[in-house]
Amino acid sequence: EPEVTQTPSHQVTQMGQEVILRCVPISNHLYFYWYRQILGQKVEFLVSFYNNEISEKSEIFDDQFSVERPDGSNFTLKIRSTKLEDSAMYFCANLLGLATTSSYEQYFGPGTRLTVT
Amino acid sequence: SQQGEEDPQALSIQEGENATMNCSYKTSINNLQWYRQNSGRGLVHLILIRSNEREKHSGRLRVTLDTSKKSSSLLITASRAADTASYFCATASEGAQKLVFGQGTRLTINP
């Protein structure tokens, strides 16, 4: 069964540094998302991406964040200048997005644990 | 904004018993999805139920949806130690829109 993969599994960075989190979505899926989960808290939506542009973003997704699909397959989340409070598990998710019953299921990757020191 | 909230926050039962978790939300939805998360790991999709459905089954899982009460339940029958995990409900107001997650129920199955 196809899976969403994410790299790296764990990233440690110093405050103020840039990080890029990578996701390889399930092929032929049309919608892409980033979520994050701060330790012990619930999963929070960051941004959705469809047809090569952002379709929705949350208040968390400020100017320090950006997303892109540089080569039509990988889906990346960049944090330009990390803060301590960016420490969290970051999840990529995909959705098939066709007009069929099962196509609204969002499939999540295993996550990248980001630690900002 | 819509929000899924689960109860109980924690549930501990004996292996073989049934586990029921509930989820409530605030606004109209297109679908509701349940996920499992083992400690520190990713989210595993369990089941999706659409707003025009009342009940769905998948193996030992049974999900119900009551849109008049804005609530859903997840029943795991004949629980196993491997079912120990956190379970989250998440709602989408439109089919392909963001999911809004609840705080989750931490389920512990005692052998």
Side-chain angles (χ1 to χ4, degrees), chain A residues 33 35 37 42 104 106, chain B residues 3 33 35 37 96-97 99:
Chain A
Y33 308 82
Y35 294 82
Q37 184 181 33
K42 62 182 175 181
Y104 293 141
Q106 287 193 28
Chain B
Q3 188 173 24
Q33 304 185 40
Y35 289 85
Q37 184 180 39
Q97 283 198 354
L99 290 176

Side-chain angles (χ1 to χ4, degrees), chain A residues 25-96:
Chain A
I26 299 170
S27 63
N28 80 340
H29 279 212
L30 301 178
Y31 293 80
F32 311 98
Y33 308 82
W34 284 101
Y35 294 82
R36 78 173 187 190
Q37 184 181 33
I38 294 171
L39 186 64
Q41 298 187 22
K42 62 182 175 181
V43 177
E44 302 174 290
F45 167 77
L46 292 177
V47 65
S48 57
F49 192 85
Y50 170 71
N51 201 23
N52 287 320
E53 61 182 27
I54 291 174
S55 49
E56 187 177 2
K57 58 184 180 180
S58 71
E59 292 176 354
I60 303 168
F61 195 88
D62 61 22
D63 292 344
Q64 294 300 313
F65 292 86
S66 62
V67 290
E68 63 176 2
R69 288 192 76 200
D71 55 9
S73 59
N74 294 298
F75 180 49
T76 63
L77 173 69
K78 182 192 291 186
I79 308 175
R80 278 184 250 287
S81 179
T82 50
K83 308 182 187 76
L84 293 176
E85 53 265 37
D86 292 329
S87 293
M89 183 78 99
Y90 288 80
F91 295 106
C92 169
N94 308 164
L95 181 153
L96 180 57

Side-chain angles (χ1 to χ4, degrees), chain B residues 23-95:
Chain B
C23 166
S24 61
Y25 56 92
K26 295 181 179 177
T27 62
S28 63
I29 62 171
N30 172 278
N31 65 76
L32 184 146
Q33 304 185 40
W34 284 91
Y35 289 85
R36 183 185 74 231
Q37 184 180 39
N38 290 85
S39 180
R41 306 291 292 276
L43 294 157
V44 176
H45 188 276
L46 296 176
I47 199 164
L48 177 153
I49 187 165
R50 301 187 76 160
S51 59
N52 60 354
E53 297 175 311
R54 292 296 165 256
E55 187 172 312
K56 274 187 91 167
H57 297 255
S58 177
R60 293 184 295 115
L61 305 180
R62 173 178 169 254
V63 168
T64 63
L65 179 65
D66 186 335
T67 52
S68 67
K69 295 181 179 177
K70 293 185 168 58
S71 67
S72 173
S73 68
L74 171 67
L75 168 68
I76 303 174
T77 60
S79 62
R80 304 168 183 167
D83 295 329
T84 294
S86 290
Y87 291 82
F88 296 88
C89 71
T91 55
S93 59
E94 296 294 333

